[in-house]
Amino acid sequence: MVKDPQLFRGNDSPSLSARPGGDPAAGGDQLSPLLEELRRLAAAVEAGVQVLSKANPRTTAQGERAAAVSGGRHLVYVHGICKHSPGFSDGWWDSLHPFTDAFGAGTLDDTRQEVVWSDLVNERGVVAAAAARGADGQAEWAARIRGVLEERAATHALDAGPSITSPELAADLFTRNLGARDVSSIQALSIPGLDCVDDFAVYMFDDAVRAEIIERFTGVVRPLLEAGAELDVISHSWGTVVAYEALRALEDAGLTEPRVRNFFTVGAALSIFLVKLRLRAANRDGRRPALVRRWVNLCAVGDPVGGRLQGRPYQVDAEFLNLSNLGCGLLDAACAHSSYFESDNVAVNRDIFAAFIDRP
């Protein structure tokens, strides 16, 4: 459309009354229907703005961008427990980007998306409120999960460490590693997210919180799918539980076209038996979500959160266990749990993530 130069001359442009038809004596009443139409449109726009203002601004913006990039490729990252803020995936993407061009520059909130949900459970008040609502067994479940993680980390440290041939050597090993701390608590073990297990117990026991967290995922992913985009999802740690249940929820809502090319579960808490028992009843069969073409599971040596999923009972298509943790110490399970996203971890970022992402 060619703009009328008289309408774009700033303060020098003539007023409506000076333009033909603007003077009532010259038939200016012909403008009335136009003005009424403009007022009606303005009122409609204002009403729309009020509706949008009540929506999650981040999700709304993502939906708008999704509509603009229909048919494109998008990478979706899902974090685990403990506090995460927007931008948490910047370092993860920097490690992957050299090995794939599938997402272009991978600009955050463009072809790279994040599901940020930790704020829904990290406040102590949320945990207390959930307990007050009578979540029977929640505290016990969290304690048992901590025990599982401690046992897994300690077993790896002992299995991979020096052979213990005498009580004296065993005592020396624990003394060197634990110092004056209580051996039974294994406090010297650097276990990922141990202090945040109570937070995720809220997800597992409080249906309202679970629904909110799943909505964080679907609020990012649904607009992309509905715009015709194809996705790759990389979920980590306890985020694998969120991503799996959210993908099943989208399937239940009628989204079944397999537009998720790869669903990566990394250091997956889905491997923990107590977690499997607390999934939604319909999800305990471990079936691959209909949206997903390939399910790829990864676990590094010494990662106490991750483990085997394939056939237990999950329909995982490819599984990579005992991956290098890049030399993390025997007692540094937290290091092993985060080793996948290090820039030096070519075996994961190039040979697994990028290799599957670039497959048809």
Side-chain angles (χ1 to χ4, degrees):
M1 179 178 68
V2 178
K3 297 178 180 178
D4 184 342
Q6 293 296 323
L7 293 178
F8 295 89
R9 290 173 52 190
N11 294 330
D12 294 330
S13 60
S15 66
L16 281 174
S17 62
R19 293 183 56 78
D23 186 345
D29 57 344
Q30 296 176 3
L31 210 57
S32 297
L34 176 60
L35 291 174
E36 287 301 320
E37 180 65 13
L38 289 174
R39 291 191 187 98
R40 186 188 66 79
L41 290 174
V45 169
E46 183 178 359
V49 169
Q50 290 176 352
V51 171
L52 289 175
S53 68
K54 298 178 182 178
N56 184 316
R58 183 177 174 83
T59 301
T60 300
Q62 287 165 333
E64 292 172 349
R65 278 186 288 270
V69 291
S70 176
R73 294 274 310 264
H74 290 255
L75 177 61
V76 179
Y77 282 111
V78 188
H79 67 70
I81 57 175
C82 297
K83 183 179 180 180
H84 288 74
S85 301
F88 73 85
S89 69
D90 289 349
W92 300 7
W93 169 243
D94 289 343
S95 297
L96 171 60
H97 188 204
F99 307 113
T100 182
D101 294 321
F103 314 105
T107 303
L108 183 60
D109 289 338
D110 185 6
T111 57
R112 172 168 54 102
Q113 310 286 340
E114 294 179 338
V115 177
V116 181
W117 56 267
S118 62
D119 60 296
L120 295 175
V121 295
N122 287 161
E123 295 296 330
R124 295 294 94 189
V126 173
V127 179
R133 285 195 290 268
D136 293 337
Q138 179 176 316
E140 179 186 356
W141 184 88
R144 292 173 68 189
I145 288 291
R146 283 191 289 271
V148 169
L149 297 178
E150 290 171 342
E151 178 66 21
R152 285 184 172 189
T155 297
H156 164 72
L158 293 176
D159 287 347
S163 176
I164 300 176
T165 57
S166 69
E168 291 77 13
L169 181 57
D172 179 60
L173 173 66
F174 280 99
T175 299
R176 282 188 291 105
N177 286 327
L178 300 178
R181 296 175 179 175
D182 178 9
V183 173
S184 65
S185 67
I186 321 182
Q187 288 297 313
L189 288 171
S190 176
I191 300 174
L194 200 63
D195 294 338
C196 303
V197 170
D198 285 333
D199 299 348
F200 201 76
V202 177
Y203 173 96
M204 299 260 74
F205 280 79
D206 191 302
D207 290 341
V209 173
R210 189 190 302 232
E212 281 190 85
I213 292 175
I214 287 177
E215 174 59 28
R216 285 288 177 88
F217 182 99
T218 58
V220 170
V221 169
R222 180 192 287 272
L224 297 170
L225 294 173
E226 292 178 342
E230 291 193 326
L231 313 181
D232 293 83
V233 176
I234 298 180
S235 58
H236 180 234
S237 190
W238 298 84
T240 62
V241 180
V242 174
Y244 177 65
E245 295 215 288
L247 287 168
R248 292 289 297 267
L250 285 170
E251 176 185 342
D252 293 341
L255 294 176
T256 58
E257 188 175 351
R259 290 188 175 277
V260 178
R261 297 166 65 104
N262 296 286
F263 173 37
F264 296 99
T265 49
V266 184
L270 284 169
S271 70
I272 301 172
F273 180 71
L274 292 172
V275 171
K276 298 175 188 180
L277 293 179
R278 294 299 310 180
L279 294 177
R280 286 177 166 172
N283 299 340
R284 293 173 197 161
D285 58 5
R287 184 170 54 78
R288 183 177 64 242
L291 286 162
V292 174
R293 297 184 199 172
R294 281 187 298 260
W295 184 348
V296 183
N297 183 51
L298 292 73
C299 184
V301 171
D303 182 349
V305 182
R308 183 180 298 278
L309 296 185
Q310 196 170 47
R312 299 187 178 182
Y314 306 102
Q315 290 183 330
V316 169
D317 298 291
E319 189 159 66
F320 300 88
L321 306 176
N322 299 313
L323 293 166
S324 171
N325 61 22
L326 306 185
C328 294
L330 291 178
L331 297 180
D332 197 353
C335 171
H337 188 54
S338 62
S339 62
Y340 313 95
F341 305 109
E342 295 296 328
S343 58
D344 293 340
N345 201 335
V346 175
V348 166
N349 289 284
R350 182 191 66 191
D351 300 340
I352 300 177
F353 288 157
F356 279 99
I357 287 169
D358 289 340
R359 285 187 186 182

